[in-house]
Amino acid sequence: MNENANFKVDPRLASLLGETYRSTEHAIKELIDNAWDADAPTIAITLPDPMTADSIVIEDTGSGMTELELRNEYLVVANDRRSRKGDRTKQLKRLVKGRKGIGKFAGLMVANIMAIETTAHGKTTRVVISKEDLLNATRDLERIDLPLTVVPAPDGVSGTKVTLTSLSDRFEFPLPEKLKTLLMTEYGREEDVRISVNSEALCLDDLPGEKFQKDDTIPDAGAIKLSFKVSDGAKSLKQAGIALRVGGKIVGKPGFFGLEDDPEIPPKLLKKLYGEVEADGLSESVTADWGDIVENSKAFHALKPVIQAHLKNAVEEVYKREVGLQRARIQRQINLRLAEMPEHRRRFAQIALEKVMKRFYGESEEKVETVASVILDAFEKDEYWLVLKQIDESKGGDIETFASALEIFGLLDMALMANQAKSRLKVLDHLDDLVRNPATLEKNVHSVIERNLWVLGYDHSLISSNRTLARTIEEYTSAKFTGDRASKRPDLFLAQNLRGGFFLIEFKRPAKEIDRQDQRQAQEYRDDLEPKFGQIEILLLGKGRDVTATMQNDPPRLQVFSYEALISSARTQIDWLLSELKSGESTSA
Ligand SMILES: Nc1ncnc2c1ncn2[C@@H]1O[C@H](COP(=O)(O)OP(=O)(O)OP(=O)(O)O)[C@@H](O)[C@H]1O
Ligand SMILES: [Mg+2]
């Protein structure tokens, strides 16, 4: 039988066809999602060898479609499947992925020709769609004739094969590794589907990260086989956790075997663990529906701490490296400030800092800087040390016991940090009042900011000044602005940031808009100072820019800030920290 079929168009089509995909592999995944929705127990993807003109083939053994279904469901554009058939698939009760009724077009993003061969109820229906035809008729899709053929098929066979030929050269060539990673991330936990790419089944190796494998024999639980990955970088894994497999079947949901209650392991790190443990010795310990482990299972209680220890070792190994990297960037300034502390405070400061940094592991550098600068401030306060000294004395001063005492008193230093953060908010309120008062002079804001350099924010939160720099500026300005000019003396401040670079800050009145003339003047000061210090960055603070001083014309290494914007972004950081500390209190309580 040979006849034509047509697309039936839904009014939402036009906007939906604009859909784009992040990569060739993401586009191909749409077709695998369709096979999943068709209850396919197996899905085989074949990718062409590089540099060949071969096709991409996605073949599933799912329900397939009858001719009628192909015409009324597949060839209907933008038809919402779930409103038609519900959230779950018919046979296997899978959660349906299809939403918009346009996923099939993903094939035509990467290829010019898409052939669909689908078998159900003893018949194979075949239709070929060409991108060119579609593009030439976006307004009248339903008028395109699609050649459709139906031939008999053996009984009991069903499934769909999509062949994509003449791949578009606008897209990257599909890579099996990339596709496997993508599919493993999404389908790795699914037990009722077998997916292969170029005849290779998906496996743990397809996930990013470092692999760990442990075989062990545990009294009461027998032989176990643990294999998992700790993903690297900032990536957390979808469906993280370690699944328990007993007698070939997964029991319940993946979990962390108690590691989630370990205060030393930040939750962000748990999300980097992915894997499973085979423990056939637990077959007596599984509930009848295989949904969970029976309570009081001796075998499980024997197994749990062993798995937990393996996981913790691996996570700490990876974590030490990564936190080390993160911290190396701000360590220089931390060391400088630690060096200023009396000896006996320093070692406590190091331990507490370590703990806090661990807790904020994985946050952006900007946030970690805020945290480090807040805690360093807190260390310089005497009440903090009074409490620590008491703990220390009660423990006889040994560093290990002190560290464990700190664990118990974990909430204490969080509370002290919160106090510190709150006092920063007060400073911001005060500064806000100053800035809004038209009578405020340069020196008023200068004196507040000089004592609270963190207000200057990211990149400057750990800057510091010292007597030498202050004296240099004092001498420079009084020599330059004598007699009549004394009243014109600028308010300058020279500081050094954590990378060793110098900053010249010029404070203008909060009511003063910064214009070109101000910028020129600041550059003049810099020209005078640079021979002594090397490169200097300028920060000009005032009410913001004058209309004529547009950003694209800024001189090099000169930034203009408004006091208001500085205050507002400093406030955002502190608010974030306070809310973090609050959520910490409630989870540890
Ligand atoms: N491999 C397949 N096997 C059986 N039926 C399929 C297959 N692929 C598509 N279909 C049918 O065609 C319909 C349209 O597929 P399409 O991918 O365009 O939309 P969708 O999956 O419903 O939603 P989405 O746009 O979110 O993917 C599906 O709902 C399904 O009924
Ligand atoms: Mg789909």
Side-chain angles (χ1 to χ4, degrees), residues 307-452:
I307 306 281
Q308 194 183 324
H310 284 316
L311 295 178
K312 186 168 177 171
N313 280 342
V315 158
E316 289 204 316
E317 195 184 312
V318 174
Y319 151 84
K320 271 210 189 89
R321 249 185 346 248
E322 290 193 1
V323 167
L325 280 178
Q326 184 180 52
R327 200 163 36 187
R329 290 189 278 264
I330 53 172
Q331 192 64 49
R332 196 187 131 98
Q333 190 64 26
I334 288 175
N335 288 347
L336 278 176
R337 283 183 68 172
L338 285 175
E340 283 167 16
M341 286 183 190
E343 171 78 41
H344 72 283
R345 288 189 177 187
R346 206 175 304 150
R347 59 189 183 125
F348 301 132
Q350 269 159 341
I351 295 175
L353 204 59
E354 196 128 316
K355 238 184 88 214
V356 170
M357 299 288 276
K358 200 167 196 175
R359 156 123 201 233
F360 289 97
Y361 167 79
E363 296 294 349
S364 68
E365 202 163 319
E366 181 179 4
K367 286 178 171 165
V368 174
E369 270 197 27
T370 302
V371 172
S373 100
V374 165
I375 194 137
L376 284 166
D377 278 0
F379 289 152
E380 282 158 8
K381 292 258 158 31
D382 286 336
E383 62 264 277
Y384 189 89
W385 297 101
L386 228 61
V387 188
L388 289 186
K389 201 159 158 257
Q390 275 165 5
I391 303 175
D392 190 37
E393 277 165 2
S394 72
K395 293 287 171 185
D398 133 39
I399 203 93
E400 286 297 314
T401 15
F402 169 71
S404 64
L406 258 190
E407 287 307 344
I408 303 162
F409 282 83
L411 285 177
L412 175 76
D413 48 19
M414 293 301 164
L416 284 163
M417 267 182 86
N419 274 345
Q420 193 57 41
K422 278 180 199 142
S423 71
R424 283 189 173 190
L425 279 185
K426 280 205 198 98
V427 170
L428 288 177
D429 288 342
H430 173 54
L431 194 57
D432 218 358
D433 291 343
L434 271 182
V435 165
R436 282 166 201 279
N437 185 341
T440 300
L441 297 175
E442 292 88 331
K443 62 174 190 229
N444 307 123
V445 276
H446 181 152
S447 69
V448 178
I449 293 183
E450 179 171 348
R451 277 177 284 118
N452 296 282

Side-chain angles (χ1 to χ4, degrees), residues 194-364:
R194 271 182 296 131
I195 303 180
S196 66
V197 176
N198 290 345
S199 306
E200 281 176 25
L202 300 181
C203 67
L204 196 57
D205 288 334
D206 297 326
L207 286 179
E210 197 166 329
K211 190 173 177 180
F212 292 85
Q213 239 162 341
K214 288 270 159 357
D215 291 352
D216 213 337
T217 305
I218 303 167
D220 289 325
I224 62 153
K225 238 183 173 36
L226 173 66
S227 53
F228 60 97
K229 283 236 165 160
V230 182
S231 84
D232 37 25
K235 276 194 205 102
S236 49
L237 292 164
K238 245 183 182 176
Q239 307 173 315
I242 306 298
L244 174 63
R245 190 185 288 279
V246 178
K249 269 167 72 177
I250 297 287
V251 182
K253 292 229 155 62
F256 300 97
F257 293 81
L259 198 60
E260 68 276 21
D261 299 324
D262 187 328
E264 288 191 5
I265 304 295
K268 278 221 163 83
L269 271 182
L270 288 178
K271 302 237 173 70
K272 295 166 147 244
L273 279 169
Y274 184 107
E276 66 173 58
V277 55
E278 280 175 48
D280 290 346
L282 264 64
S283 55
E284 302 290 300
S285 309
V286 179
T287 58
D289 62 352
W290 231 254
D292 211 344
I293 289 289
V294 290
E295 266 176 59
N296 302 328
S297 151
K298 214 171 150 191
F300 186 71
H301 285 293
L303 176 88
K304 194 172 155 180
V306 177
I307 306 281
Q308 194 183 324
H310 284 316
L311 295 178
K312 186 168 177 171
N313 280 342
V315 158
E316 289 204 316
E317 195 184 312
V318 174
Y319 151 84
K320 271 210 189 89
R321 249 185 346 248
E322 290 193 1
V323 167
L325 280 178
Q326 184 180 52
R327 200 163 36 187
R329 290 189 278 264
I330 53 172
Q331 192 64 49
R332 196 187 131 98
Q333 190 64 26
I334 288 175
N335 288 347
L336 278 176
R337 283 183 68 172
L338 285 175
E340 283 167 16
M341 286 183 190
E343 171 78 41
H344 72 283
R345 288 189 177 187
R346 206 175 304 150
R347 59 189 183 125
F348 301 132
Q350 269 159 341
I351 295 175
L353 204 59
E354 196 128 316
K355 238 184 88 214
V356 170
M357 299 288 276
K358 200 167 196 175
R359 156 123 201 233
F360 289 97
Y361 167 79
E363 296 294 349
S364 68

Side-chain angles (χ1 to χ4, degrees), residues 518-537:
D518 298 322
Q519 298 194 349
R520 266 195 296 276
Q521 222 163 51
Q523 278 178 286
E524 235 179 83
Y525 305 142
R526 168 161 69 188
D527 289 344
D528 292 339
L529 292 165
E530 274 192 338
K532 235 185 196 154
F533 296 96
Q535 283 223 337
I536 299 177
E537 292 260 347

